[in-house]
Short mmCIF file of all heavy atoms in Angstrom, two decimals:
data_model
loop_
_atom_site.label_atom_id
_atom_site.label_comp_id
_atom_site.label_asym_id
_atom_site.label_seq_id
_atom_site.Cartn_x
_atom_site.Cartn_y
_atom_site.Cartn_z
N ASP A 2 51.91 73.44 97.24
CA ASP A 2 52.48 73.38 95.93
C ASP A 2 54.00 73.35 95.99
O ASP A 2 54.62 73.92 96.88
CB ASP A 2 52.07 74.59 95.11
CG ASP A 2 50.60 74.57 94.71
OD1 ASP A 2 50.00 73.50 94.67
OD2 ASP A 2 50.11 75.65 94.43
N VAL A 3 54.57 72.73 95.00
CA VAL A 3 56.02 72.66 94.90
C VAL A 3 56.58 74.03 94.51
O VAL A 3 57.68 74.40 94.91
CB VAL A 3 56.43 71.58 93.87
CG1 VAL A 3 57.93 71.58 93.65
CG2 VAL A 3 55.95 70.22 94.30
N LEU A 4 55.85 74.80 93.76
CA LEU A 4 56.34 76.10 93.30
C LEU A 4 56.39 77.14 94.41
O LEU A 4 57.08 78.14 94.30
CB LEU A 4 55.45 76.61 92.16
CG LEU A 4 55.44 75.74 90.90
CD1 LEU A 4 54.46 76.28 89.89
CD2 LEU A 4 56.82 75.65 90.32
N ASP A 5 55.64 76.94 95.50
CA ASP A 5 55.60 77.90 96.59
C ASP A 5 56.78 77.74 97.57
O ASP A 5 56.96 78.58 98.44
CB ASP A 5 54.29 77.78 97.37
CG ASP A 5 53.10 78.28 96.53
OD1 ASP A 5 53.34 79.07 95.61
OD2 ASP A 5 51.98 77.85 96.82
N MET A 6 57.52 76.67 97.44
CA MET A 6 58.64 76.44 98.36
C MET A 6 59.77 77.41 98.07
O MET A 6 60.03 77.75 96.92
CB MET A 6 59.15 75.00 98.23
CG MET A 6 58.16 73.98 98.72
SD MET A 6 58.65 72.26 98.52
CE MET A 6 60.37 72.25 98.53
N GLU A 7 60.40 77.86 99.14
CA GLU A 7 61.55 78.76 98.96
C GLU A 7 62.80 77.93 98.67
O GLU A 7 63.03 76.91 99.29
CB GLU A 7 61.77 79.59 100.22
CG GLU A 7 60.68 80.59 100.48
CD GLU A 7 60.99 81.43 101.70
OE1 GLU A 7 62.17 81.57 102.04
OE2 GLU A 7 60.03 81.91 102.30
N VAL A 8 63.57 78.41 97.75
CA VAL A 8 64.81 77.74 97.40
C VAL A 8 65.94 78.45 98.13
O VAL A 8 66.13 79.66 97.97
CB VAL A 8 65.05 77.78 95.88
CG1 VAL A 8 66.39 77.14 95.54
CG2 VAL A 8 63.91 77.11 95.16
N LYS A 9 66.65 77.71 98.95
CA LYS A 9 67.76 78.30 99.69
C LYS A 9 69.02 78.24 98.82
O LYS A 9 69.34 77.18 98.28
CB LYS A 9 68.00 77.55 100.99
CG LYS A 9 66.86 77.68 101.96
CD LYS A 9 67.15 76.95 103.24
CE LYS A 9 65.97 77.06 104.19
NZ LYS A 9 66.20 76.31 105.42
N PRO A 10 69.72 79.36 98.70
CA PRO A 10 70.95 79.32 97.89
C PRO A 10 72.04 78.53 98.60
O PRO A 10 72.14 78.52 99.82
CB PRO A 10 71.33 80.80 97.76
CG PRO A 10 70.68 81.46 98.92
CD PRO A 10 69.44 80.67 99.23
N LYS A 11 72.84 77.86 97.80
CA LYS A 11 73.95 77.10 98.36
C LYS A 11 75.03 78.06 98.82
O LYS A 11 75.30 79.05 98.15
CB LYS A 11 74.54 76.16 97.30
CG LYS A 11 73.62 75.06 96.89
CD LYS A 11 74.31 74.17 95.87
CE LYS A 11 73.40 73.07 95.41
NZ LYS A 11 74.02 72.26 94.37
N PRO A 12 75.62 77.80 99.98
CA PRO A 12 76.72 78.68 100.40
C PRO A 12 77.91 78.51 99.46
O PRO A 12 78.40 77.41 99.23
CB PRO A 12 77.06 78.19 101.81
CG PRO A 12 76.49 76.82 101.91
CD PRO A 12 75.35 76.75 100.93
N SER A 13 78.32 79.60 98.88
CA SER A 13 79.41 79.52 97.92
C SER A 13 80.75 79.54 98.64
O SER A 13 80.88 80.09 99.73
CB SER A 13 79.34 80.68 96.94
OG SER A 13 79.50 81.90 97.63
N GLN A 14 81.73 78.96 98.02
CA GLN A 14 83.07 78.96 98.58
C GLN A 14 83.68 80.34 98.41
O GLN A 14 83.46 81.01 97.41
CB GLN A 14 83.93 77.93 97.85
CG GLN A 14 83.50 76.52 98.10
CD GLN A 14 84.61 75.77 98.79
OE1 GLN A 14 85.73 76.21 98.82
NE2 GLN A 14 84.28 74.64 99.36
N LEU A 15 84.41 80.78 99.41
CA LEU A 15 85.06 82.08 99.33
C LEU A 15 86.23 82.03 98.36
O LEU A 15 86.88 81.00 98.18
CB LEU A 15 85.57 82.50 100.71
CG LEU A 15 84.51 82.78 101.75
CD1 LEU A 15 85.17 83.09 103.09
CD2 LEU A 15 83.62 83.92 101.34
N HIS A 16 86.47 83.15 97.73
CA HIS A 16 87.58 83.29 96.81
C HIS A 16 88.89 83.23 97.60
O HIS A 16 88.93 83.57 98.78
CB HIS A 16 87.44 84.62 96.06
CG HIS A 16 88.32 84.74 94.87
ND1 HIS A 16 89.51 85.39 94.91
CD2 HIS A 16 88.18 84.28 93.60
CE1 HIS A 16 90.07 85.33 93.71
NE2 HIS A 16 89.27 84.67 92.90
N TRP A 17 89.97 82.80 96.96
CA TRP A 17 91.26 82.68 97.66
C TRP A 17 91.71 84.01 98.22
O TRP A 17 92.36 84.07 99.26
CB TRP A 17 92.34 82.10 96.75
CG TRP A 17 92.69 82.99 95.59
CD1 TRP A 17 92.11 83.01 94.37
CD2 TRP A 17 93.68 84.01 95.57
NE1 TRP A 17 92.66 83.98 93.58
CE2 TRP A 17 93.64 84.61 94.29
CE3 TRP A 17 94.61 84.47 96.48
CZ2 TRP A 17 94.49 85.64 93.93
CZ3 TRP A 17 95.44 85.50 96.12
CH2 TRP A 17 95.38 86.08 94.85
N TYR A 18 91.34 85.11 97.55
CA TYR A 18 91.70 86.44 98.02
C TYR A 18 91.04 86.73 99.37
O TYR A 18 91.66 87.26 100.28
CB TYR A 18 91.29 87.48 96.98
CG TYR A 18 91.59 88.90 97.39
CD1 TYR A 18 92.87 89.41 97.28
CD2 TYR A 18 90.59 89.72 97.89
CE1 TYR A 18 93.15 90.70 97.66
CE2 TYR A 18 90.86 91.02 98.27
CZ TYR A 18 92.15 91.50 98.15
OH TYR A 18 92.43 92.77 98.53
N GLU A 19 89.76 86.38 99.50
CA GLU A 19 89.03 86.62 100.74
C GLU A 19 89.50 85.70 101.85
O GLU A 19 89.40 86.05 103.03
CB GLU A 19 87.54 86.44 100.51
CG GLU A 19 86.95 87.49 99.59
CD GLU A 19 85.50 87.22 99.27
OE1 GLU A 19 85.03 86.08 99.50
OE2 GLU A 19 84.84 88.13 98.75
N LEU A 20 90.00 84.54 101.50
CA LEU A 20 90.46 83.60 102.52
C LEU A 20 91.85 83.93 103.04
O LEU A 20 92.11 83.76 104.24
CB LEU A 20 90.48 82.18 101.95
CG LEU A 20 89.15 81.47 101.84
CD1 LEU A 20 89.32 80.14 101.15
CD2 LEU A 20 88.55 81.27 103.21
N HIS A 21 92.75 84.39 102.17
CA HIS A 21 94.14 84.52 102.57
C HIS A 21 94.64 85.96 102.58
O HIS A 21 95.34 86.37 103.51
CB HIS A 21 95.03 83.69 101.63
CG HIS A 21 94.67 82.25 101.61
ND1 HIS A 21 94.85 81.42 102.68
CD2 HIS A 21 94.10 81.48 100.64
CE1 HIS A 21 94.43 80.20 102.39
NE2 HIS A 21 93.96 80.22 101.15
N ILE A 22 94.31 86.74 101.57
CA ILE A 22 94.89 88.07 101.43
C ILE A 22 94.18 89.09 102.31
O ILE A 22 94.85 89.88 103.00
CB ILE A 22 94.86 88.52 99.95
CG1 ILE A 22 95.58 87.50 99.07
CG2 ILE A 22 95.44 89.90 99.78
CD1 ILE A 22 97.04 87.33 99.39
N GLN A 23 92.86 89.13 102.32
CA GLN A 23 92.13 90.13 103.10
C GLN A 23 92.44 90.07 104.60
O GLN A 23 92.66 91.11 105.21
CB GLN A 23 90.63 90.00 102.87
CG GLN A 23 90.14 90.84 101.73
CD GLN A 23 88.63 90.85 101.63
OE1 GLN A 23 87.96 90.03 102.23
NE2 GLN A 23 88.11 91.78 100.86
N PRO A 24 92.48 88.90 105.23
CA PRO A 24 92.84 88.89 106.65
C PRO A 24 94.26 89.39 106.91
O PRO A 24 94.49 90.09 107.90
CB PRO A 24 92.70 87.42 107.05
CG PRO A 24 91.78 86.83 106.07
CD PRO A 24 92.02 87.57 104.79
N CYS A 25 95.19 89.09 106.01
CA CYS A 25 96.56 89.56 106.19
C CYS A 25 96.64 91.07 106.03
O CYS A 25 97.35 91.75 106.79
CB CYS A 25 97.49 88.88 105.19
SG CYS A 25 97.73 87.14 105.50
N VAL A 26 95.90 91.62 105.08
CA VAL A 26 95.89 93.07 104.88
C VAL A 26 95.25 93.76 106.09
O VAL A 26 95.74 94.80 106.56
CB VAL A 26 95.16 93.44 103.57
CG1 VAL A 26 94.90 94.93 103.48
CG2 VAL A 26 95.96 92.97 102.38
N ALA A 27 94.19 93.18 106.62
CA ALA A 27 93.54 93.76 107.80
C ALA A 27 94.49 93.74 109.00
O ALA A 27 94.56 94.71 109.76
CB ALA A 27 92.26 93.00 108.12
N GLU A 28 95.21 92.64 109.20
CA GLU A 28 96.19 92.57 110.29
C GLU A 28 97.30 93.60 110.10
O GLU A 28 97.72 94.25 111.05
CB GLU A 28 96.80 91.18 110.37
CG GLU A 28 95.95 90.17 111.07
CD GLU A 28 95.84 90.43 112.56
OE1 GLU A 28 96.83 90.90 113.17
OE2 GLU A 28 94.76 90.17 113.09
N LEU A 29 97.78 93.73 108.87
CA LEU A 29 98.84 94.69 108.59
C LEU A 29 98.38 96.12 108.87
O LEU A 29 99.09 96.90 109.54
CB LEU A 29 99.29 94.56 107.14
CG LEU A 29 100.37 95.55 106.69
CD1 LEU A 29 101.68 95.24 107.38
CD2 LEU A 29 100.52 95.52 105.20
N LEU A 30 97.19 96.48 108.40
CA LEU A 30 96.67 97.82 108.64
C LEU A 30 96.41 98.07 110.12
O LEU A 30 96.72 99.16 110.64
CB LEU A 30 95.39 98.04 107.85
CG LEU A 30 95.55 98.18 106.35
CD1 LEU A 30 94.18 98.28 105.68
CD2 LEU A 30 96.39 99.39 106.01
N GLY A 31 95.85 97.11 110.81
CA GLY A 31 95.58 97.27 112.23
C GLY A 31 96.84 97.41 113.05
O GLY A 31 96.94 98.28 113.92
N THR A 32 97.83 96.58 112.77
CA THR A 32 99.10 96.66 113.49
C THR A 32 99.83 97.96 113.20
O THR A 32 100.35 98.62 114.11
CB THR A 32 100.00 95.47 113.12
OG1 THR A 32 99.28 94.26 113.40
CG2 THR A 32 101.28 95.49 113.89
N ALA A 33 99.83 98.38 111.94
CA ALA A 33 100.48 99.64 111.59
C ALA A 33 99.79 100.82 112.27
O ALA A 33 100.46 101.73 112.77
CB ALA A 33 100.47 99.82 110.07
N LEU A 34 98.47 100.78 112.34
CA LEU A 34 97.73 101.86 113.00
C LEU A 34 98.03 101.89 114.49
O LEU A 34 98.24 102.97 115.06
CB LEU A 34 96.24 101.69 112.76
CG LEU A 34 95.35 102.79 113.32
CD1 LEU A 34 95.65 104.12 112.64
CD2 LEU A 34 93.90 102.44 113.16
N PHE A 35 98.08 100.73 115.14
CA PHE A 35 98.39 100.69 116.57
C PHE A 35 99.79 101.20 116.85
O PHE A 35 100.01 101.97 117.79
CB PHE A 35 98.24 99.28 117.12
CG PHE A 35 96.82 98.89 117.42
CD1 PHE A 35 96.43 97.59 117.32
CD2 PHE A 35 95.89 99.83 117.80
CE1 PHE A 35 95.13 97.22 117.59
CE2 PHE A 35 94.59 99.49 118.07
CZ PHE A 35 94.20 98.17 117.97
N ILE A 36 100.75 100.78 116.07
CA ILE A 36 102.13 101.23 116.28
C ILE A 36 102.23 102.73 116.03
O ILE A 36 102.84 103.46 116.82
CB ILE A 36 103.10 100.44 115.40
CG1 ILE A 36 103.17 99.00 115.89
CG2 ILE A 36 104.48 101.07 115.39
CD1 ILE A 36 103.95 98.08 114.98
N PHE A 37 101.64 103.20 114.96
CA PHE A 37 101.67 104.62 114.62
C PHE A 37 101.01 105.46 115.71
O PHE A 37 101.58 106.46 116.18
CB PHE A 37 100.98 104.84 113.28
CG PHE A 37 100.99 106.25 112.80
CD1 PHE A 37 102.17 106.84 112.36
CD2 PHE A 37 99.83 107.00 112.78
CE1 PHE A 37 102.19 108.15 111.91
CE2 PHE A 37 99.84 108.31 112.33
CZ PHE A 37 101.02 108.88 111.90
N MET A 38 99.83 105.07 116.16
CA MET A 38 99.12 105.83 117.19
C MET A 38 99.86 105.76 118.52
O MET A 38 99.92 106.74 119.25
CB MET A 38 97.69 105.30 117.36
CG MET A 38 96.80 105.59 116.19
SD MET A 38 96.58 107.32 115.88
CE MET A 38 95.33 107.70 117.07
N GLY A 39 100.42 104.61 118.85
CA GLY A 39 101.15 104.48 120.11
C GLY A 39 102.40 105.33 120.12
O GLY A 39 102.71 105.99 121.13
N CYS A 40 103.12 105.37 119.02
CA CYS A 40 104.33 106.20 118.94
C CYS A 40 103.98 107.68 118.99
O CYS A 40 104.68 108.46 119.65
CB CYS A 40 105.11 105.89 117.68
SG CYS A 40 105.90 104.28 117.70
N LEU A 41 102.93 108.08 118.32
CA LEU A 41 102.53 109.48 118.35
C LEU A 41 102.02 109.90 119.73
O LEU A 41 102.20 111.04 120.13
CB LEU A 41 101.45 109.76 117.30
CG LEU A 41 101.92 109.84 115.87
CD1 LEU A 41 100.74 110.11 114.95
CD2 LEU A 41 102.97 110.90 115.68
N ALA A 42 101.40 108.98 120.44
CA ALA A 42 100.84 109.32 121.75
C ALA A 42 101.93 109.55 122.79
O ALA A 42 101.71 110.32 123.73
CB ALA A 42 99.91 108.21 122.22
N VAL A 43 103.07 108.93 122.65
CA VAL A 43 104.11 109.08 123.67
C VAL A 43 105.23 110.02 123.22
O VAL A 43 106.18 110.24 123.96
CB VAL A 43 104.72 107.73 124.08
CG1 VAL A 43 103.66 106.85 124.70
CG2 VAL A 43 105.37 107.04 122.91
N LEU A 44 105.13 110.59 122.03
CA LEU A 44 106.18 111.51 121.57
C LEU A 44 106.26 112.76 122.43
O LEU A 44 107.34 113.18 122.83
CB LEU A 44 105.92 111.92 120.12
CG LEU A 44 106.49 111.00 119.06
CD1 LEU A 44 106.15 111.51 117.68
CD2 LEU A 44 107.97 110.81 119.20
N GLU A 45 105.12 113.34 122.68
CA GLU A 45 105.11 114.57 123.47
C GLU A 45 104.35 114.31 124.76
O GLU A 45 103.14 114.12 124.75
CB GLU A 45 104.44 115.68 122.68
CG GLU A 45 104.47 117.01 123.39
CD GLU A 45 103.85 118.11 122.56
OE1 GLU A 45 103.89 118.03 121.33
OE2 GLU A 45 103.31 119.03 123.17
N ASP A 46 105.07 114.31 125.87
CA ASP A 46 104.43 114.09 127.16
C ASP A 46 103.83 115.41 127.63
O ASP A 46 104.53 116.39 127.82
CB ASP A 46 105.46 113.58 128.17
CG ASP A 46 104.80 113.12 129.45
OD1 ASP A 46 103.58 112.91 129.43
OD2 ASP A 46 105.52 112.99 130.46
N SER A 47 102.51 115.43 127.81
CA SER A 47 101.85 116.68 128.21
C SER A 47 101.66 116.75 129.71
O SER A 47 100.56 116.90 130.19
CB SER A 47 100.51 116.85 127.54
OG SER A 47 100.16 115.88 126.67
N GLY A 48 102.71 116.64 130.42
CA GLY A 48 102.62 116.82 131.86
C GLY A 48 102.23 115.55 132.58
O GLY A 48 102.92 114.55 132.53
N GLY A 49 101.13 115.59 133.26
CA GLY A 49 100.75 114.48 134.14
C GLY A 49 99.82 113.47 133.54
O GLY A 49 99.07 112.83 134.26
N THR A 50 99.82 113.28 132.23
CA THR A 50 98.89 112.30 131.64
C THR A 50 99.34 110.87 131.92
O THR A 50 98.51 109.98 132.04
CB THR A 50 98.76 112.49 130.12
OG1 THR A 50 100.04 112.40 129.53
CG2 THR A 50 98.12 113.82 129.81
N GLY A 51 100.64 110.64 132.00
CA GLY A 51 101.14 109.31 132.33
C GLY A 51 100.73 108.27 131.31
O GLY A 51 100.96 108.41 130.12
N ARG A 52 100.08 107.22 131.79
CA ARG A 52 99.68 106.12 130.92
C ARG A 52 98.33 106.34 130.27
O ARG A 52 97.90 105.55 129.43
CB ARG A 52 99.63 104.83 131.73
CG ARG A 52 100.95 104.40 132.25
CD ARG A 52 100.81 103.09 132.97
NE ARG A 52 101.89 102.96 133.95
CZ ARG A 52 101.82 102.21 135.01
NH1 ARG A 52 100.75 101.51 135.25
NH2 ARG A 52 102.83 102.15 135.84
N LEU A 53 97.64 107.38 130.66
CA LEU A 53 96.29 107.61 130.15
C LEU A 53 96.30 107.99 128.66
O LEU A 53 95.48 107.51 127.88
CB LEU A 53 95.60 108.71 130.95
CG LEU A 53 94.17 109.04 130.55
CD1 LEU A 53 93.28 107.82 130.78
CD2 LEU A 53 93.67 110.23 131.32
N GLN A 54 97.22 108.82 128.26
CA GLN A 54 97.25 109.29 126.87
C GLN A 54 97.48 108.15 125.88
O GLN A 54 96.72 108.02 124.92
CB GLN A 54 98.31 110.37 126.71
CG GLN A 54 98.33 111.01 125.36
CD GLN A 54 99.32 112.16 125.29
OE1 GLN A 54 99.90 112.54 126.30
NE2 GLN A 54 99.51 112.70 124.11
N PRO A 55 98.49 107.29 126.06
CA PRO A 55 98.63 106.16 125.12
C PRO A 55 97.44 105.19 125.17
O PRO A 55 97.04 104.66 124.14
CB PRO A 55 99.91 105.47 125.56
CG PRO A 55 100.64 106.46 126.36
CD PRO A 55 99.63 107.35 126.97
N ALA A 56 96.87 105.01 126.35
CA ALA A 56 95.72 104.10 126.45
C ALA A 56 94.53 104.64 125.67
O ALA A 56 93.85 103.89 124.95
CB ALA A 56 95.35 103.90 127.91
N LEU A 57 94.27 105.93 125.79
CA LEU A 57 93.17 106.53 125.03
C LEU A 57 93.44 106.52 123.53
O LEU A 57 92.54 106.32 122.73
CB LEU A 57 92.91 107.95 125.52
CG LEU A 57 92.28 108.08 126.90
CD1 LEU A 57 92.19 109.54 127.30
CD2 LEU A 57 90.93 107.42 126.94
N ALA A 58 94.70 106.75 123.16
CA ALA A 58 95.06 106.73 121.74
C ALA A 58 94.85 105.34 121.15
O ALA A 58 94.31 105.19 120.04
CB ALA A 58 96.50 107.17 121.56
N HIS A 59 95.24 104.29 121.87
CA HIS A 59 95.03 102.94 121.37
C HIS A 59 93.55 102.58 121.34
O HIS A 59 93.10 101.88 120.42
CB HIS A 59 95.82 101.93 122.22
CG HIS A 59 97.26 101.89 121.88
ND1 HIS A 59 98.20 102.55 122.63
CD2 HIS A 59 97.93 101.29 120.89
CE1 HIS A 59 99.39 102.35 122.12
NE2 HIS A 59 99.26 101.59 121.04
N GLY A 60 92.79 103.03 122.31
CA GLY A 60 91.35 102.78 122.30
C GLY A 60 90.67 103.45 121.13
O GLY A 60 89.80 102.87 120.47
N LEU A 61 91.06 104.68 120.84
CA LEU A 61 90.51 105.39 119.69
C LEU A 61 90.91 104.70 118.39
O LEU A 61 90.09 104.54 117.48
CB LEU A 61 90.99 106.83 119.68
CG LEU A 61 90.53 107.69 118.51
CD1 LEU A 61 89.01 107.85 118.55
CD2 LEU A 61 91.20 109.05 118.55
N ALA A 62 92.16 104.26 118.30
CA ALA A 62 92.61 103.55 117.10
C ALA A 62 91.83 102.25 116.91
O ALA A 62 91.45 101.90 115.78
CB ALA A 62 94.11 103.26 117.19
N LEU A 63 91.57 101.54 117.99
CA LEU A 63 90.78 100.31 117.89
C LEU A 63 89.36 100.59 117.43
O LEU A 63 88.82 99.89 116.57
CB LEU A 63 90.77 99.58 119.24
CG LEU A 63 89.97 98.29 119.30
CD1 LEU A 63 90.58 97.26 118.38
CD2 LEU A 63 89.91 97.78 120.71
N GLY A 64 88.75 101.63 117.98
CA GLY A 64 87.40 102.00 117.57
C GLY A 64 87.32 102.37 116.10
O GLY A 64 86.40 101.97 115.39
N VAL A 65 88.28 103.15 115.64
CA VAL A 65 88.30 103.55 114.23
C VAL A 65 88.53 102.34 113.33
O VAL A 65 87.90 102.19 112.29
CB VAL A 65 89.38 104.63 113.99
CG1 VAL A 65 89.62 104.86 112.52
CG2 VAL A 65 88.99 105.92 114.67
N THR A 66 89.43 101.45 113.74
CA THR A 66 89.72 100.26 112.94
C THR A 66 88.49 99.37 112.82
O THR A 66 88.19 98.86 111.73
CB THR A 66 90.89 99.47 113.57
OG1 THR A 66 92.01 100.33 113.69
CG2 THR A 66 91.25 98.27 112.73
N VAL A 67 87.79 99.16 113.91
CA VAL A 67 86.59 98.32 113.86
C VAL A 67 85.51 98.98 113.01
O VAL A 67 84.82 98.31 112.23
CB VAL A 67 86.08 98.04 115.29
CG1 VAL A 67 84.70 97.44 115.27
CG2 VAL A 67 87.04 97.13 116.01
N ALA A 68 85.37 100.29 113.11
CA ALA A 68 84.35 100.99 112.33
C ALA A 68 84.66 100.94 110.83
O ALA A 68 83.77 100.79 110.01
CB ALA A 68 84.23 102.43 112.79
N VAL A 69 85.95 101.06 110.48
CA VAL A 69 86.31 101.13 109.06
C VAL A 69 86.47 99.74 108.45
O VAL A 69 85.99 99.47 107.35
CB VAL A 69 87.62 101.94 108.89
CG1 VAL A 69 88.13 101.86 107.48
CG2 VAL A 69 87.37 103.39 109.28
N LEU A 70 87.13 98.84 109.16
CA LEU A 70 87.45 97.53 108.59
C LEU A 70 86.60 96.40 109.16
O LEU A 70 86.95 95.24 109.01
CB LEU A 70 88.94 97.21 108.84
CG LEU A 70 89.95 98.19 108.26
CD1 LEU A 70 91.35 97.81 108.72
CD2 LEU A 70 89.87 98.20 106.77
N GLY A 71 85.51 96.72 109.77
CA GLY A 71 84.68 95.71 110.43
C GLY A 71 84.07 94.68 109.49
O GLY A 71 83.79 93.56 109.89
N ASP A 72 83.87 95.02 108.25
CA ASP A 72 83.21 94.10 107.33
C ASP A 72 84.17 93.17 106.62
O ASP A 72 83.75 92.34 105.82
CB ASP A 72 82.39 94.87 106.30
CG ASP A 72 83.22 95.81 105.45
OD1 ASP A 72 84.29 96.23 105.92
OD2 ASP A 72 82.80 96.11 104.32
N ILE A 73 85.44 93.28 106.89
CA ILE A 73 86.42 92.39 106.23
C ILE A 73 86.39 91.04 106.89
O ILE A 73 86.42 90.91 108.06
CB ILE A 73 87.85 92.99 106.27
CG1 ILE A 73 87.91 94.22 105.40
CG2 ILE A 73 88.87 91.97 105.83
CD1 ILE A 73 89.27 94.86 105.31
#
């Protein structure tokens, strides 16, 4: 029967906000978070951590950013 066929929805065009503004806001937030976390990680040197502390701070910032802003 013709009535039993599934109708596939047409892919709609994205709004200009989703095309241009959201990616820029995500980049701005991600960059600001990386700079903020990197600066905070190297402010106080806790002895022999060396490069490990900033690396872990940036990894944590990346994980949080992907978890929070992953759907953008």
Side-chain angles (χ1 to χ4, degrees):
D2 289 337
V3 175
L4 298 176
D5 290 337
M6 292 177 27
E7 292 182 25
V8 177
K9 295 182 182 177
K11 293 181 181 177
S13 63
Q14 293 243 345
L15 294 176
H16 194 262
W17 65 271
Y18 178 79
E19 293 174 345
L20 282 175
H21 302 292
I22 304 298
Q23 270 187 345
C25 291
V26 169
E28 280 291 325
L29 178 69
L30 289 175
T32 304
L34 183 64
F35 280 150
I36 291 172
F37 182 71
M38 291 298 279
C40 289
L41 284 180
V43 297
L44 273 179
E45 184 178 331
D46 190 17
S47 358
T50 57
R52 296 183 205 156
L53 181 64
Q54 186 175 354
L57 289 175
H59 282 100
L61 179 64
L63 179 64
V65 169
T66 304
V67 168
V69 172
L70 301 174
D72 61 334
I73 292 183

